[in-house]
Structures are given as C-alpha cells and as structure tokens.
C-alpha cells in the first residue's frame, strides 16, 4: 500500500496533507483490518521531514496509525529515515578516476542530525503497543561522514533515494532486527 507524499498516519493527520491522503488512510486501515490474520508484521518507512506540523504532531499521527494496526494484532517495525544528502552523489562520482573511501562523502553532522530530530519513528515506537524502531544510520555513516560509496556500492541514486543494490545489502540487518523481535517464532 503506497501513495506518494502520503506517509502512513492517522486519517485526521493525513487530512492536513490532503483530502486524498486522508481517504487513502481510511482505505489502508480497512484493508489492514480485513487482512489482519494474514499479516505477520508491517515494516514501514517514510520521508518524515516533509510532513506538516512539529515533531509532536508527527509522532501523534504516526503512532495513531501504528496503534490502529496493533489493535488488530499487527506489530509494526518502523525504519528510521535514512540520512539524506543535499545533493545527489552521481555527478561528483562521475568526475572521479578513482573512488576513495571519502570520495563525495558528506558530514554526518548537519542534515543527518537534523533529519534524526524530525523523524517521529522513535517517539511513535514509545507511543504504540507493539512496535520497534530499526535504525540503519550507522550503515550509511561512519562517526564523521556519510560516504557516497560503501563496499564498492553506490549508496544513493539522488538526494534521498538509495540504490536498489545498496538496499539489498541492508536486508540481512533488517531481517536480523525483525527476527530479534520474536514476532516470527511460530513460523519456523
């Protein structure tokens, strides 16, 4: 269930985004309720820095949607939004004859920290019944910088979307964190 520029939030919060987003949330809630017995868990992520309102409003909107799923017995894992870049790395990488570990990197301070302070995932986890946060920031950034290439793989295709190849490298870590919840113990 995806709709551009419409993160998974309560219908009331979604109405502050658009009427079509609010209706979409009503439809999502209905679908989740009707299919709850077929859903083991929800893994969700959104670009929260574009959401209207302050952090407390974002947390309330996200947590309310998660509590609705929880009330149907569906646990939620929220991916903390990945760090974003002010510019896409491709033009910088294209100019290089050799890619070094720090080529086209951006500082971890600045946009990464600003994004973390605006992401409602951790607050929503605290406000929901069965929810966990999966924070992959350390797989995007070292202590000082966030490289454009990790392990020979280009991380970003633009300012805020990761490449499918890099996404595939993250799956074992996401799966590890999901298994650690214990939600899947009866699915050997």
């Amino acid at each position: 269930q995806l709709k551009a520029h419409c993160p998974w939030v309560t219908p009331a919060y979604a109405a502050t985004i658009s009427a079509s987003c609010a209706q979409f949330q009503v439809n999502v809630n209905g679908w989740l309720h009707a299919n709850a017995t077929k859903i083991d868990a929800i893994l969700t992520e959104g670009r929260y820095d574009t959401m209207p309102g302050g952090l407390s409003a974002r947390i309330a909107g996200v947590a309310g949607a998660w509590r609705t799923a929880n009330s149907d017995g569906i646990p939620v894992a929220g991916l903390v939004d990945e760090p974003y870049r002010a510019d896409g790395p491709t033009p910088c990488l294209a100019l290089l004859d050799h890619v070094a570990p720090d080529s086209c990197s951006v500082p971890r301070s600045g946009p990464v920290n600003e994004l973390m302070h605006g992401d409602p995932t951790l607050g929503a986890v605290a406000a929901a019944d069965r929810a966990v946060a999966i924070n992959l920031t350390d797989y995007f950034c070292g202590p000082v910088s966030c490289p454009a290439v990790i392990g020979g793989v280009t991380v970003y295709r633009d300012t805020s979307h990761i490449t499918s190849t890099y996404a595939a490298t993250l799956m074992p870590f996401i799966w590890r964190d999901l298994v650690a919840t214990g939600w899947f113990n009866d699915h050997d």
Side-chain angles (χ1 to χ4, degrees), residues 6-32:
C6 183
W8 183 34
V9 292
T10 62
Y13 182 86
T16 68
I17 299 170
S18 71
S20 68
C21 184
Q23 184 57 54
F24 180 76
Q25 303 304 324
V26 169
N27 295 345
V28 166
N29 288 342
W31 185 89
L32 290 172

Side-chain angles (χ1 to χ4, degrees), residues 23 31 34 74 91 104 153 183:
Q23 184 57 54
W31 185 89
I74 306 168
C104 306
V153 176
W183 297 337

Side-chain angles (χ1 to χ4, degrees), residues 2-174:
L2 298 172
K3 179 173 176 53
H5 306 290
C6 183
W8 183 34
V9 292
T10 62
Y13 182 86
T16 68
I17 299 170
S18 71
S20 68
C21 184
Q23 184 57 54
F24 180 76
Q25 303 304 324
V26 169
N27 295 345
V28 166
N29 288 342
W31 185 89
L32 290 172
H33 182 73
N35 292 281
T37 60
K38 302 173 192 170
I39 301 169
D40 293 321
I42 295 171
L43 178 63
T44 185
E45 191 267 347
R47 181 70 190 264
Y48 297 116
D49 64 322
T50 61
M51 291 172 61
L55 182 57
S56 60
R58 293 174 187 174
I59 290 171
V62 172
W66 294 7
R67 282 192 303 270
T68 298
N70 291 166
S71 70
D72 284 326
I74 306 168
V76 178
L79 286 174
V80 174
D81 200 6
E82 78 273 359
Y84 70 97
R85 300 175 56 98
D87 61 347
T90 306
C92 174
L93 292 170
L95 297 174
L96 302 176
D97 292 326
H98 171 75
V99 177
D102 63 345
S103 296
C104 306
S105 65
V106 295
R108 184 171 177 145
S109 61
V112 173
N113 288 336
E114 291 169 18
L115 183 64
M116 294 293 291
H117 293 297
D119 187 328
T121 303
L122 298 176
V125 165
D129 300 321
R130 282 183 75 198
V132 297
I134 298 176
N135 187 345
L136 301 172
T137 302
D138 289 341
Y139 296 104
F140 288 88
C141 302
V144 176
S145 67
C146 304
V149 176
I150 298 174
V153 176
T154 302
V155 177
Y156 291 91
R157 64 180 171 93
D158 59 23
T159 60
S160 64
H161 296 94
I162 63 174
T163 64
S164 58
T165 304
Y166 193 69
T169 71
L170 297 173
M171 290 311 301
F173 305 108
I174 295 170

